[in-house]
Amino acid sequence: MNDTIEEVLLTEKEKRRLMKILIWRFFIFFFMIIPVLAGCSYIAFLAAISFIEGKWDLWSFIVLFMYFIFLLLANKYIFVFYKNAFRYRNITSKQIIRTNVLHIKQKYSSSMKFQFEIQTDYTTVDTSKDVIIFKDVDFFSLQEGSTIYLHILPGVKSEFLRITDDLIK
């Protein structure tokens, strides 16, 4: 493993971009996600009341089951990005990890065009699942054995601040 980790302060451009993302994510959260959650919670509440009143049927079970499945999936796939965005306001530094590309897998999706799965010494970067805030490297030009720098924010999961092919601080 040839990984080296260096702690560096965030640049002003990176701080501004993180604040912009924080504002947009919370705007979307308050005006889109909270109304959907409130509507789903109200429907689940009505299904639960039907049990208390003794007027339950098969749909009451299905609604409650789907509500709990929805909450579990939302916690895994939606809320993680809002938790990360909430951590942005306290972050002042980033970690730059120098690592080597072990394997590149290119996939084609009709919705997202080209997707890449880049396996490195440090971690695997999957562009269909991970968020890359600044994309400074052309994934088409990467080759196995080349060196890349992963700029990550401490405590933030499944998000990369930037991926570069040369050391940018």
Side-chain angles (χ1 to χ4, degrees), residues 5-10 14 18 80 83-97 122 133 150-162:
I5 300 174
E6 183 179 351
E7 190 85 17
V8 177
L9 292 175
L10 290 173
E14 292 168 341
L18 289 176
V80 68
K83 291 175 190 173
N84 288 344
F86 188 67
R87 291 182 181 122
Y88 288 168
R89 61 188 179 91
N90 295 329
I91 294 177
T92 58
S93 64
K94 63 182 176 181
Q95 294 176 341
I96 301 175
I97 296 139
Y122 180 73
I133 297 173
L150 305 175
H151 299 242
I152 62 170
L153 301 169
V156 175
K157 298 177 184 173
S158 65
E159 290 190 27
F160 294 92
L161 181 61
R162 64 181 359 141

Side-chain angles (χ1 to χ4, degrees), residues 55-69:
K55 299 177 184 176
W56 57 273
D57 58 356
L58 179 62
W59 284 108
S60 299
F61 285 108
I62 292 173
V63 166
L64 287 176
F65 178 73
M66 294 302 293
Y67 180 70
F68 287 118
I69 295 296

Side-chain angles (χ1 to χ4, degrees), residues 40 86 129:
C40 291
F86 188 67
K129 297 177 185 172

